[in-house]
Structure formats: C-alpha cells, structure tokens
Amino acid sequence: DLRRDMNQLHKDQQDDHATLNRFVTDLNDRHLALHKAHADTVDNLSSTNDQLSNSKQDLETALNQNVATLKKDLATKAKEANDRADGVERHHANVAKESSKRMNTLELRISGVQGACGEHKRDLTKLREEVNGLTVKSAAHDVDINKVQSDANK
C-alpha cells in the first residue's frame, strides 16, 4: 500500500507539475502578448508624438510666415494710406490756394463793378440834372415861342 500511495502521490505530483507548467506557459504567453501590445503602443505613441512635433513645427512655421506677411501687408497699407492722406492734403492746399486767388479776383471784379456802378450813378445824376435843365430851357423856349406866336397873331 505504501508503494501505491507513493506512486499515487508521485503521479499527483507529476499532474500538479504538468498543470503548473501549463499555467506558467499560459502566463508566459499572456505576458509575451501583453509585452508585444505594450511595445506596439509605445511605438504608436512615439510615431504619433513625432507626427505631432512635425505638425507643431509646420504650424509654427506657417504662423510665423503669416505673421510676417500680415506685418508686411499692414506696413504697405499704412504707407499707402499715409501717401493718400498726404496727396489729399496737398490737393486741399492747392485747391484752397486756387480758391483764394479766385476769391481775390472776384473781389477785385466786384470792387470794379461797384466802382463802375457808382460812376454810372453819378453819370445818371448828371444826365438827370442836364435833362431837367434842358426841360426847363425847353419849357422856357415853348413859353417864348408861344409868346412870339401870340404877339405875331396880334
């Protein structure tokens, strides 16, 4: 009986050992699969990180180029605006100067017209006086003619 128990114990031990070997093998397989998945994930993360770095560099480069272009465009537009404003100011000064000359010319013309008008008024006054004098003389001549005619008829 002891032999049989020993054989049974030996067999149980071999069965337990085989079971443990299978369990360890399964654990090793799962560990290797997990390690491979971890390595794949690390590779994917590394690749994604590299892509992000490249994208970040590309975006920063594009942003810097856009900022430089915008600054250049803004400076150009500011210069154009200042040039236009200067042109408008020069034009305004020229127009104001020309308008001033025209106003002075008109004032001189108006002054001349006013002087001529005054002259004409004086001439009209003289002509009225002369007409009045002639009217008086004409009336006196009419009276003389009527007297002479009346004397001749008598």
Side-chain angles (χ1 to χ4, degrees):
D1 238 8
L2 185 59
R3 224 181 207 343
R4 202 173 33 137
D5 284 345
M6 244 175 86
N7 281 339
Q8 183 64 34
L9 190 62
H10 186 59
K11 185 179 174 192
D12 287 344
Q13 184 184 17
Q14 285 178 344
D15 289 344
D16 287 344
H17 182 68
T19 301
L20 282 175
N21 276 340
R22 280 192 309 269
F23 182 72
V24 168
T25 302
D26 286 345
L27 282 178
N28 279 338
D29 290 345
R30 285 192 294 176
H31 174 73
L32 288 175
L34 185 62
H35 182 67
K36 184 181 181 312
H38 175 73
D40 290 345
T41 302
V42 167
D43 288 345
N44 286 338
L45 284 175
S46 178
S47 174
T48 302
N49 193 26
D50 291 343
Q51 289 173 353
L52 285 174
S53 279
N54 290 338
S55 294
K56 179 183 175 186
Q57 288 176 349
D58 291 345
L59 288 173
E60 285 177 348
T61 301
L63 179 65
N64 290 336
Q65 288 173 347
N66 287 341
V67 166
T69 301
L70 288 175
K71 283 181 180 179
K72 181 182 172 187
D73 289 348
L74 182 62
T76 301
K77 294 296 179 185
K79 185 180 182 312
E80 286 176 8
N82 287 334
D83 290 347
R84 285 182 185 175
D86 290 344
V88 168
E89 286 176 358
R90 281 192 302 276
H91 177 70
H92 180 267
N94 290 338
V95 168
K97 187 176 178 181
E98 191 174 312
S99 295
S100 178
K101 285 179 182 178
R102 287 182 183 171
M103 286 295 286
N104 288 339
T105 301
L106 285 175
E107 286 176 2
L108 287 173
R109 286 182 184 172
I110 290 171
S111 177
V113 169
Q114 286 174 339
C117 185
E119 242 178 81
H120 288 303
K121 283 182 182 179
R122 284 190 296 280
D123 289 346
L124 283 174
T125 303
K126 285 181 184 177
L127 286 174
R128 279 190 191 134
E129 289 173 2
E130 195 174 322
V131 168
N132 285 339
L134 290 174
T135 304
V136 170
K137 284 183 183 178
S138 173
H141 287 300
D142 284 343
V143 169
D144 287 343
I145 290 173
N146 284 337
K147 207 183 214 190
V148 168
Q149 219 173 20
S150 160
D151 286 345
N153 286 340
K154 285 189 185 178

